[in-house]
Amino acid sequence: MSPVVCNGQSVELSEEGFLVDPSLWNEELAVLLAKAEEGLDQLTDDHWSVIRFIRGHFVANNNAPMVRSICKTTGVPLKRIYELFPSGPAKGACKLAGLPKPDGCV
Amino acid sequence: MPELDELESRLDALTEADFQQGLEVFRGKLKKAEASYLNSCVHCGLCASSCHYHRMDSTLENIPAHKLELISSVFKRNFTTMGRIAPGLVGAKPFDREMAKAWIDAVFGRCSLCGRCSINCTIGIALPKIFRAARAALGAMGLVPPDLQATVDNSLLHGNNMAVTKQDWVETVQWIEEELQLETGDPGAKLPLDKQGAKFLFTVNPREPKFFPLSLQASAKVFWAAKEDWTLASDGGWDLTNYGLFNCNDEQAGTITKHLVDAMARLGCKTLVIGECGHGYGAARWEGPEWLRKSYPFEVKSILELMDEYVRDGRIQLDPSKNTAPVTLHDPCNLVRHGGICEAQRRVLRKATTNFTEMTPNRVENFCCGGGGGQLAMARYKQRRIQSGGMKAEQIKASGAKVVVAPCHNCIDQLMELNKEYQLNVQIKTVAEMVAEALIPNP
C-alpha cells in the first residue's frame, strides 16, 4: 500500500492499511489515516477519547483492548462506536490508533 | 512487507530434507481416490468460470485446473514410474524452490477452499482436498503465511484465536448479560457461565467478545425467549473457531478441537452448539472426529438449526414487520456447500422478515465472499481478496437488498470491507440479530 506522508516524513503502511511500524504513530498520523482509511474528514472528541484509550492500552499491554474496556473507560456507548468508526473497532479504531492488524476473523 | 520477506527467506533456507518432508506429508494426506484425481483432469475449463478469483481476474494462474496442474506435476515426478523415467513426456516437474513458491501462491494466495470448482467439475475432482494436502505439505516445510499461523498459535497458546484472557471474556459475558437485562427488562435474563449439566454448550467466535458483542447479545436473547437450558464455558472451549482447517495441520486442528471436547466433558452438556460461523461449523461438525480419530460422545448442532426448531415448535414468536427492509442471505461455503446447513436459515428468515430475496446463484452454488479459507488472516493477499469478492458484491447489488444476512463472522468481516470498497450501502447482520429484532416477548 502507498505510504502516507506525515510532517514531511513517509510512513509505510501494510497491505491492510495498518502502520508497518506501530511505534511511528502520532496524532497527526491518526488524522491522516482517518481521512485515507475511514473517509472521516474530522475527528470528534468521542473519536479522540476512543483512539487515545486504545493507544494507551496498546502501549501498556501490546494488544488491542476489548470493546467492553473501550466503552466502560471512555463512556462511549457500544452502538456509537460502530457509528464513529464505520470499519469497526479493529479495522477502524485500532487502525487509527496505530495498532497492528489483530489476528483472527478480522 | 516484513512478512513477505519472512516467507522468502524461509524459501531460501529450504534444504533437500525439507522438500522430502513436504512430499511425504503431501503423499500421506492423499487417499487413493484423491491420488487418482491428480491424473483425472480433462481440461474442460468449467472450473475457470466457477471460480470467483478467475471470474474477477481471468489470468491463467486463477484457473483451478492450473493450480491442480502445479500439484499433479510434482506428484507425477515423485510418485509415478513414468514421471520418474520420462518426466518431460508426462508433464512431471521437480519440487524445488520455484515450485514451492508457485504452490504457496496457488493454494494460499489464489484459493479460499470454497469448493465451487469441485461441484462444477465435469468429473468431480475434489480440488479442495488436494489443495489442503498441498497446504499441509507447505506447512511441514514452514511455509504457512505467518499471520495465518499466528491465528492458529493463538488458539494453541491461549485457547482462543484472538488471545482473549479468561478475565476479559468473563467480564464481557457479564457486561452483555447486563445489557440483555436492560434490553428485555427481565432481571432473570442470563448468559449462564459453566452451568453444569446444561443441555447446550454454546460457542462463539472470539471476534464477538473482542469487538462485536451485539451478535452474542442477540443469540442470548433468542435463548432467553425460548427458555433454553444453555451455558457458555468460562475457560477453554468457548471459542468455536479452528484455523487448523486453513493451515491444514491436522495435529494442531485436533488439539484445538479438543478444547471443545474437553469443555463438553467438563460441563456434562448434551449438545455442542456452534454459533454463526462457517468454518467453525465445518471444523467441529465434520472434521473434528477425523482429526481426533474418534467419534464424539455428544451431538453437534448449528444455532441456525436450533432457531429453526424454535420457530417450528412455537417456542419463539416472531413479528416479521420488525424487519421490512429488503433482505438477502449470503451462503457461507463451509456452512452450506461443505457443511450441509442450507434451509434452516432460510425458513427462519422468511418468518423474521417481510421482504426476503435470494441472491443468484445461491445455496451450494453460492459464490464465496472472498474471505474464506483463511484469506482474511493473510494480509499479503488483501488486494486479491477484495478483487475476488467483487463477485459477491455484484450479487448483492443485483439483489437490491439493503440488509445482507451472513451466518458467519468471517464472511461478515469480508462483507463489511466489500461494503466499503464497492459502496454497497447495505447493513450486514447475523441471523440471530434479525430474529432478536423480530422477537415478540413471551407473555
Side-chain angles (χ1 to χ4, degrees), chain B residues 281-292:
Chain B
Y281 179 77
R285 174 71 181 85
W286 301 115
E287 305 293 340
E290 300 287 328
W291 291 326
L292 296 172

Side-chain angles (χ1 to χ4, degrees), chain B residues 75-309:
Chain B
F75 182 84
K76 285 177 190 165
R77 179 72 184 80
N78 289 279
F79 300 110
T80 68
T81 312
M82 278 307 284
R84 286 196 193 100
I85 301 171
L89 283 182
V90 292
K93 289 181 185 159
F95 197 34
D96 54 15
R97 185 193 188 283
E98 286 316 298
M99 183 57 86
K101 195 176 169 181
W103 275 31
I104 295 172
D105 185 71
V107 300
F108 284 114
R110 298 179 188 275
C111 179
S112 59
L113 303 172
C114 83
R116 196 169 188 275
C117 53
S118 185
I119 58 159
N120 287 287
C121 171
T122 322
I123 39 184
I125 298 176
L127 289 105
K129 286 250 182 205
I130 293 162
F131 295 157
R132 294 193 71 239
R135 282 192 182 196
L138 292 167
M141 298 160 74
L143 294 171
V144 173
D147 37 9
L148 176 57
Q149 186 58 44
T151 305
V152 177
D153 292 343
N154 273 341
S155 295
L156 295 171
L157 281 171
H158 305 282
N160 66 84
N161 79 2
M162 293 183 93
V164 173
T165 64
K166 178 180 177 182
Q167 186 187 351
D168 278 342
W169 159 242
V170 168
E171 284 175 359
T172 296
V173 170
Q174 290 163 346
W175 174 48
I176 294 305
E177 184 171 276
E178 290 160 18
E179 295 289 313
L180 181 64
Q181 290 169 356
L182 283 176
E183 185 190 353
T184 59
D186 177 5
K190 299 276 183 205
L191 273 71
L193 276 163
D194 295 334
K195 185 180 171 198
Q196 202 66 35
K199 190 174 171 196
F200 295 138
L201 174 65
F202 182 55
T203 54
V204 304
N205 187 312
R207 187 179 178 276
E208 298 178 81
K210 184 88 190 183
F211 295 129
F212 297 94
L214 289 174
S215 54
L216 173 57
Q217 188 173 331
S219 305
K221 189 179 175 191
V222 176
F223 288 141
W224 163 78
K227 300 185 169 60
E228 191 53 85
D229 176 20
W230 67 292
T231 191
L232 295 159
S234 70
D235 194 10
W238 58 263
D239 171 11
L240 56 73
T241 69
N242 192 333
Y243 272 50
L245 187 71
F246 301 144
N247 80 345
C248 301
N249 181 319
D250 290 356
E251 198 188 327
Q252 293 177 346
T255 304
I256 297 168
T257 303
K258 203 154 177 306
H259 298 159
L260 300 174
V261 175
D262 290 348
M264 286 296 288
R266 192 169 72 239
L267 295 168
C269 299
K270 286 189 188 63
T271 303
L272 173 64
V273 178
I274 306 298
E276 296 185 48
C277 177
H279 93 275
Y281 179 77
R285 174 71 181 85
W286 301 115
E287 305 293 340
E290 300 287 328
W291 291 326
L292 296 172
R293 295 178 185 277
K294 62 176 184 188
S295 54
Y296 300 141
F298 51 82
E299 70 170 348
V300 180
K301 278 190 168 178
S302 162
I303 188 177
L304 300 169
E305 294 173 284
L306 296 187
M307 289 192 285
D308 186 30
E309 290 168 17

Side-chain angles (χ1 to χ4, degrees), chain A residues 46 48-58 60-61 63-78 81-82 85 89 93-94 99, chain B residues 163-176 178-179 207-213:
Chain A
D46 276 354
W48 280 116
S49 64
V50 170
I51 291 171
R52 286 177 186 138
F53 170 70
I54 291 175
R55 184 69 195 177
H57 180 97
F58 173 70
N61 303 286
N63 60 25
M66 306 290 287
V67 72
R68 173 186 171 277
S69 314
I70 301 175
C71 294
K72 292 274 180 195
T73 312
T74 63
V76 177
L78 181 58
I81 302 268
Y82 303 120
F85 302 94
C94 289
L99 275 60
Chain B
V164 173
T165 64
K166 178 180 177 182
Q167 186 187 351
D168 278 342
W169 159 242
V170 168
E171 284 175 359
T172 296
V173 170
Q174 290 163 346
W175 174 48
I176 294 305
E178 290 160 18
E179 295 289 313
R207 187 179 178 276
E208 298 178 81
K210 184 88 190 183
F211 295 129
F212 297 94

Side-chain angles (χ1 to χ4, degrees), chain B residues 318-373:
Chain B
L318 302 180
D319 174 5
S321 73
K322 299 280 186 189
N323 293 311
T324 54
V327 176
T328 192
L329 174 69
H330 168 62
D331 287 305
C333 308
N334 278 300
L335 187 76
V336 179
R337 186 158 42 240
H338 295 306
I341 303 291
C342 190
E343 299 303 327
Q345 58 270 42
R346 294 180 153 77
R347 283 191 290 266
V348 171
L349 277 183
R350 284 193 204 101
K351 296 281 187 189
T353 65
T354 57
N355 195 349
F356 172 60
T357 316
E358 291 281 2
M359 276 187 230
T360 308
N362 57 56
R363 297 179 168 84
V364 295
E365 279 287 355
N366 80 81
F367 277 100
C368 174
C369 62

Side-chain angles (χ1 to χ4, degrees), chain B residues 420-437:
Chain B
K420 185 167 116 181
E421 299 282 340
Y422 294 91
Q423 297 174 351
L424 302 174
N425 300 316
V426 292
Q427 283 185 292
I428 297 149
K429 295 194 168 182
T430 64
V431 177
E433 285 174 318
M434 301 303 284
V435 171
E437 188 62 38

